[in-house]
Amino acid sequence: MKLSSYSVSHDLRAPLRAIDGFSRVLLEDCNDKLDDEGKRLLKIVRDNTNKMGQLIEDILTLSRLGRKPLEMSHIDMAKLTKDVYDELKQTTPERKIQLEIKNLPAAHGDPSMIHQVLVNLLSNAIKFTRPRENAAIEVGGREEGMKTSIMSKTMVSDLICSM
């Protein structure tokens, strides 16, 4: 699995680098010959190659997590949520996003796996608030016996993930 993941990743990234590189060259070298629509379309191509690159990286991260044994421990979910939010916020410093962490009980699980779940949950929340100039993301949870439910609510959509 490790070798095939690496191989697939390499095979997928090479064409993406070419697409991104050639579209960048077109924007830089032919900028004066492109109309606004051409520039807009090339920007869309470049944005989507970056998204695809991130998807490939996410798949590799998930495959690496799936191969290692679970290391169960106590997790301060409020702290981990804040840490993940701070990591993600650095990728969009121009955005005005307010994070509100409501009642978020501690959990017992594998910190790496829970970290990845929170990255996915908060990334989606940030993505879905993109049309908003001032976005608000609310994260909360509740304990239900042996299960802890984490909820992320945005102005645009509600995302729920139970662990």
Side-chain angles (χ1 to χ4, degrees), residues 49-109:
T49 57
N50 288 329
K51 284 180 190 176
M52 179 60 88
Q54 187 57 54
L55 288 171
I56 293 167
E57 186 59 37
D58 291 346
I59 289 169
L60 283 173
T61 299
L62 189 59
S63 76
R64 282 190 295 268
L65 288 174
R67 284 193 310 269
K68 78 177 223 189
L70 293 178
E71 297 177 17
M72 306 298 275
S73 66
H74 174 84
I75 302 169
D76 181 340
M77 293 298 294
K79 180 182 180 326
L80 184 57
T81 300
K82 177 77 169 89
D83 290 347
V84 167
Y85 171 78
D86 290 343
E87 289 170 22
L88 294 172
K89 185 68 176 104
Q90 291 177 15
T91 65
T92 56
E94 73 285 354
R95 299 268 325 272
K96 294 177 185 164
I97 303 171
Q98 177 186 351
L99 175 69
E100 183 177 354
I101 299 175
K102 297 250 176 162
N103 181 31
L104 197 53
H108 188 78

Side-chain angles (χ1 to χ4, degrees), residues 130-145:
R130 198 174 297 142
R132 308 271 184 189
E133 185 177 326
N134 295 311
I137 299 171
E138 182 182 305
V139 179
R142 65 177 178 267
E143 291 178 280
E144 299 167 345

Side-chain angles (χ1 to χ4, degrees), residues 2-61:
K2 184 178 182 180
L3 183 57
S4 71
S5 293
Y6 174 79
S7 179
V8 168
S9 165
H10 185 276
D11 290 349
L12 291 173
R13 286 183 180 170
L16 281 178
R17 280 192 302 271
I19 293 167
D20 187 53
F22 287 129
S23 58
R24 180 179 40 78
V25 167
L26 281 171
L27 281 170
E28 290 172 0
D29 294 354
C30 302
N31 196 26
D32 56 335
K33 296 175 186 148
L34 292 168
D35 63 6
D36 288 341
E37 180 65 4
K39 291 173 188 175
R40 185 185 74 78
L41 292 173
L42 282 171
K43 183 178 178 336
I44 290 170
V45 168
R46 296 201 67 219
D47 289 348
N48 281 289
T49 57
N50 288 329
K51 284 180 190 176
M52 179 60 88
Q54 187 57 54
L55 288 171
I56 293 167
E57 186 59 37
D58 291 346
I59 289 169
L60 283 173
T61 299

